[in-house]
Amino acid sequence: MDAFELLCDLAVNGTSLNPFSRPFETSWKWMRGRYTDIQIATVGSVICHELLYFGLCLPGFIFQFIPAMRKYKIQRDKPETGIGQWKCFKLLMLNHFGIQLPLVFLPYLFAQFLTIPFDYDSIPPWYEILLRMYGCLLLEDAWHYFLHRLLHHKRIYKYVHKIHHNFQAPFGMVAEYAHPIETLGMAICI
């Protein structure tokens, strides 16, 4: 098959250049056979978020205990404390499971209202998914930027956003460390 035929096939089927198509289809059908749509859309999303978030924070957490890595710390005179990290973790758990988890149900209800199907055959081609993801990232980033600027207003900062800037030497987990009202505001866009 030459390049032109390959591109024509891609335009028609959308899967020729995607090496993940078959494993993704198998995984999706396996998951749909064992879980309901609401479980996949809500609990599955939360599990993915928690694994990715804390998985990406884990290397930085481990590096703080390796003496050879301390020379790369930007603020060497401000070490993280176990008490501070525990305080951060507790607020994150409140925000993740007390605010974000209930909010995850809204996109599912929205999908049901618009009768967006969950079957594999209705999933758009990979390049369309990437384009949609890019659009979502732009919208979400703009939302976060303007909301973050608003939260620095003198009438709001000391009551809500100051909590986010509580740690003088930030570490990975502190990225989502915020007042529950701020978490709610940031999560609405998602």
Side-chain angles (χ1 to χ4, degrees):
M1 183 181 287
D2 66 359
F4 179 74
E5 289 174 342
L6 190 63
L7 288 175
C8 288
D9 189 42
L10 174 65
V12 173
N13 299 323
T15 58
S16 295
L17 295 179
N18 186 357
F20 303 108
S21 180
R22 184 65 56 206
F24 182 76
E25 180 179 3
T26 304
S27 299
W28 186 258
K29 289 180 177 178
W30 176 87
M31 195 168 48
R32 294 264 342 266
R34 284 162 180 74
Y35 303 103
T36 64
D37 292 345
I38 195 166
Q39 289 172 321
I40 294 168
T42 57
V43 177
S45 294
V46 170
I47 289 171
C48 286
H49 175 259
E50 296 304 308
L51 290 175
L52 281 170
Y53 185 75
F54 288 107
L56 291 171
C57 292
L58 190 60
F61 180 76
I62 293 171
F63 288 164
Q64 71 180 333
F65 300 111
I66 301 173
M69 297 304 290
R70 289 195 185 119
K71 65 182 175 184
Y72 298 108
K73 184 167 172 56
I74 295 171
Q75 297 173 324
R76 292 187 190 117
D77 58 331
K78 297 178 180 178
E80 299 94 359
T81 65
I83 294 169
Q85 290 180 357
W86 179 243
K87 177 182 174 184
C88 178
F89 182 76
K90 289 189 299 186
L91 184 59
L92 284 176
M93 290 297 98
L94 170 70
N95 287 341
H96 286 189
F97 294 104
I99 295 172
Q100 292 175 1
L101 176 62
L103 286 177
V104 168
F105 284 91
L106 294 177
Y108 172 75
L109 296 173
F110 183 71
Q112 292 299 302
F113 177 74
L114 294 176
T115 63
I116 297 173
F118 274 76
D119 62 298
Y120 182 80
D121 295 328
S122 299
I123 296 174
W126 64 272
Y127 53 86
E128 192 175 320
I129 291 172
L130 285 179
L131 187 62
R132 290 179 187 190
M133 286 174 56
Y134 180 71
C136 288
L137 287 172
L138 286 176
L139 288 172
E140 196 239 355
D141 202 38
W143 174 263
H144 278 224
Y145 172 76
F146 288 111
L147 185 61
H148 190 246
R149 285 196 58 148
L150 177 67
L151 289 170
H152 275 268
H153 189 276
K154 62 184 177 183
R155 291 187 177 161
I156 301 171
Y157 180 82
K158 66 182 176 180
Y159 300 110
V160 178
H161 191 61
K162 187 176 181 179
I163 291 172
H164 176 70
H165 293 285
N166 189 37
F167 291 92
Q168 297 300 313
F171 47 95
M173 247 191 333
V174 85
E176 288 189 7
Y177 183 76
H179 190 283
I181 291 174
E182 181 176 350
T183 299
L184 181 63
M186 292 292 187
I188 286 173
C189 182
I190 298 169

